[in-house]
């Protein structure tokens, strides 16, 4: 047998030997011969129910317990969806639904009143896997604005709809439509009356230094989530600012200001003085600082909320989760209703500046 035949026989022997490798030892590869990563079991969720001058001395034990119970109920809904392999978008939407249906928060049922005594609702949602987004502004008859925002994202060629057109689209998509009186709550209406009374005796310069008038803009709800497939999503819903005029729209429905999600970085939902959050593009800025400057989620959130927004004159907070499951709940006010749950099911709920 010549040397060539001996060499070919040796090569065939090695090939056969390689094929006998146990299946368990062979890595799964794609068409480019790269390893295919298995879905991660890491997931998490974080929510907020608004930020502002929330002081323990002004809170009754009963009211504090009610807020904590509703935050726990809401976040457990989203966490269960994620635990069972559901999407971050579903978790965000269903969690916000619980908060929208509660009169405790300034969204949906508990929305604040405009200067003319109406409830004008805004919401937005974003998919971090493809940067798709949907938003609505100034709707008055849609029971759950976050549901309409998602419909806009999925079933329309647009990102944002407003007013009567948004409501027409909601009807066409068979969403729950309610009479505007559904949103009426006595506490919110009395708040409008108090703010109007204060406004009569306050100058434009001093109005926002009155704690009650200044905090008339807080109460927005929001959620950010990471699912087991590594997809991030965020959503925000609000009734806006008490006594708002001229169909004012804040940051909640503005993608990049009130809501942002990008699988490469994080998902963010904002709450606070919307005019400043729009000017600072808060939600996107946090993501950009992570992507372009290499900051961690907490570093980016701290810089934006504790430095950039206050330097402009604004206040408020955010909740966020990154692509690794790290969570930030950053705010520069006296309090922020907030909660988070991780992969292990550990839950943390907070209201005031320091953890209770």
């Amino acid at each position: 047998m010549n040397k060539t035949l001996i060499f070919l026989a040796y090569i065939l022997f090695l090939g056969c030997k390689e094929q006998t490798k146990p299946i368990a030892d062979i890595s799964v590869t794609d068409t480019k011969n790269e390893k295919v990563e298995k879905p991660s079991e890491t997931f998490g969720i974080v929510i907020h129910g608004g930020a502002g001058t929330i002081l323990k001395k002004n809170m009754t034990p009963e009211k504090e317990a009610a807020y904590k119970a509703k935050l726990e109920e809401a976040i457990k809904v989203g966490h269960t969806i994620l635990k069972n392999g559901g999407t971050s978008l579903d978790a965000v939407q269903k969690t916000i639904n619980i908060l929208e249906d509660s009169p405790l928060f300034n969204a949906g049922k508990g929305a604040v009143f405009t200067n003319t005594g109406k409830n004008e609702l805004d919401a937005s949602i974003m998919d971090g896997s493809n940067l798709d987004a949907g938003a609505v502004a100034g709707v008055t008859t849609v029971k759950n604005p976050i549901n309409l925002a998602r419909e806009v994202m999925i079933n329309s060629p647009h990102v944002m709809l407003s007013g009567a057109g948004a409501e027409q689209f909601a009807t066409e998509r068979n969403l729950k439509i309610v009479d505007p009186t559904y949103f009426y709550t006595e506490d919110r209406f009395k708040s409008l009356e108090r703010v109007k009374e204060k406004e009569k005796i306050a100058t434009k310069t001093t109005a926002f230094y009155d704690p009650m008038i200044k905090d008339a803009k807080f109460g927005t709800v929001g959620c950010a989530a990471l699912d087991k497939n590594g997809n991030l999503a965020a959503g925000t819903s609000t009734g806006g600012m008490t006594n708002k005029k001229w169909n004012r729209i804040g940051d909640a429905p503005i993608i990049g200001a009130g809501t942002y999600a990008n699988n490469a970085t994080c998902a963010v939902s904002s709450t606070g003085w919307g005019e400043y959050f729009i000017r600072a593009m808060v939600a996107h800025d946090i993501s950009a600082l992570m992507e372009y400057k290499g900051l961690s989620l907490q570093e980016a959130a701290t810089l934006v909320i504790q430095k950039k927004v206050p330097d402009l004159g604004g206040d408020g907070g955010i909740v966020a989760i990154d692509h690794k499951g790290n969570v930030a709940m950053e705010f520069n006010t006296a309090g922020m209703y907030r909660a988070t749950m991780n992969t292990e099911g550990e839950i943390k709920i907070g209201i005031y500046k320091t953890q209770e």
Side-chain angles (χ1 to χ4, degrees):
M1 185 179 294
N2 60 38
K3 291 182 179 180
T4 300
L5 290 176
I6 293 173
F7 178 73
L8 289 174
Y10 180 68
I11 293 298
L12 288 171
F13 171 74
L14 288 179
C16 292
K17 185 177 181 180
E18 183 65 24
Q19 292 300 316
T20 62
K21 181 184 286 188
I23 292 176
D25 293 339
I26 301 176
S27 298
V28 179
T29 60
D30 64 13
T31 56
K32 295 180 181 179
N33 203 34
E34 296 173 346
K35 285 189 177 181
V36 175
E37 298 294 334
K38 293 181 180 179
S40 170
E41 286 299 307
T42 299
F43 65 94
I45 185 169
V46 60
I47 64 175
H48 69 76
T53 308
I54 306 168
L55 301 172
K56 191 173 182 66
K57 66 180 182 181
N58 297 332
M59 186 83 70
T60 65
E62 294 77 18
K63 195 168 185 179
E64 180 180 298
Y67 274 108
K68 288 184 175 181
K70 188 57 64 174
L71 289 168
E72 182 174 352
E73 176 190 350
I75 201 165
K76 283 184 174 179
V77 166
H79 187 271
T80 298
I81 291 171
L82 297 171
K83 183 178 180 181
N84 292 336
T87 68
S88 53
L89 280 169
D90 283 345
V92 165
Q93 180 181 349
K94 297 303 182 183
T95 296
I96 290 178
N97 284 162
I98 299 296
L99 302 175
E100 287 178 328
D101 291 345
S102 170
L104 290 173
F105 304 99
N106 175 20
K109 177 64 177 175
V112 300
F113 286 85
T114 69
N115 177 261
T116 59
K118 295 170 61 179
N119 306 104
E120 295 176 351
L121 314 175
D122 308 328
S124 63
I125 194 167
M126 188 166 186
D127 183 346
S129 70
N130 56 14
L131 304 188
D132 205 358
V136 294
V139 296
T140 60
T141 62
V142 180
K143 182 176 182 288
N144 294 105
I146 195 68
N147 295 359
L148 180 54
R150 189 171 182 185
E151 285 291 331
V152 172
M153 177 178 73
I154 296 173
N155 292 306
S156 88
H158 308 300
V159 171
M160 180 184 286
L161 301 181
S162 67
E167 292 174 352
Q168 179 185 341
F169 181 71
T171 300
E172 293 175 3
R173 296 306 305 169
N174 297 314
L175 294 187
K176 179 70 173 178
I177 303 299
V178 296
D179 187 271
T181 57
Y182 163 80
F183 300 107
Y184 179 92
T185 58
E186 189 70 16
D187 284 348
R188 297 301 192 191
F189 193 74
K190 287 182 177 178
S191 293
L192 173 64
E193 292 178 329
R194 289 195 299 268
V195 169
K196 280 188 169 183
E197 193 61 33
K198 286 280 188 178
E199 194 178 45
K200 289 178 183 178
I201 60 175
T203 67
K204 182 178 180 181
T205 303
T206 62
F208 278 112
Y209 289 94
D210 184 294
M212 186 181 69
I213 296 178
K214 185 170 179 283
D215 282 346
K217 62 192 150 299
F218 296 111
T220 296
V221 306
C223 177
L226 169 70
D227 63 32
K228 290 183 178 182
N229 290 317
N231 291 323
L232 290 163
T236 311
S237 183
T238 188
M241 181 189 295
T242 300
N243 198 38
K244 63 184 178 181
K245 303 172 185 177
W246 312 296
N247 301 119
R248 175 262 189 190
I249 297 170
D251 65 301
I254 307 296
I255 300 303
T259 300
Y260 192 75
N262 185 334
N263 276 10
T265 53
C266 62
V268 183
S269 175
S270 307
T271 174
W273 196 336
E275 281 69 16
Y276 292 92
F277 277 61
I278 293 171
R279 289 168 58 190
M281 290 304 287
V282 164
H284 179 266
D285 199 29
I286 291 170
S287 172
L289 286 167
M290 295 176 67
E291 183 172 4
Y292 303 129
K293 202 172 181 179
L295 299 188
S296 69
L297 174 61
Q298 188 58 59
E299 289 170 339
T302 299
L303 175 58
V304 173
I305 297 302
Q306 303 300 342
K307 172 65 176 172
K308 300 180 83 169
V309 172
D311 281 356
L312 288 176
D315 53 5
I318 60 92
V319 295
I321 186 168
D322 70 13
H323 61 292
K324 296 179 180 179
N326 299 307
V327 166
M329 299 182 286
E330 195 68 26
F331 55 101
N332 56 35
T333 53
M336 181 173 75
Y337 300 108
R338 60 199 187 275
T340 183
M341 285 187 77
N342 60 16
T343 308
E344 288 72 37
E346 298 168 334
I347 183 169
K348 295 180 181 178
I349 299 175
I351 296 178
Y352 314 109
K353 192 69 175 179
T354 56
Q355 280 286 70
E356 302 84 341

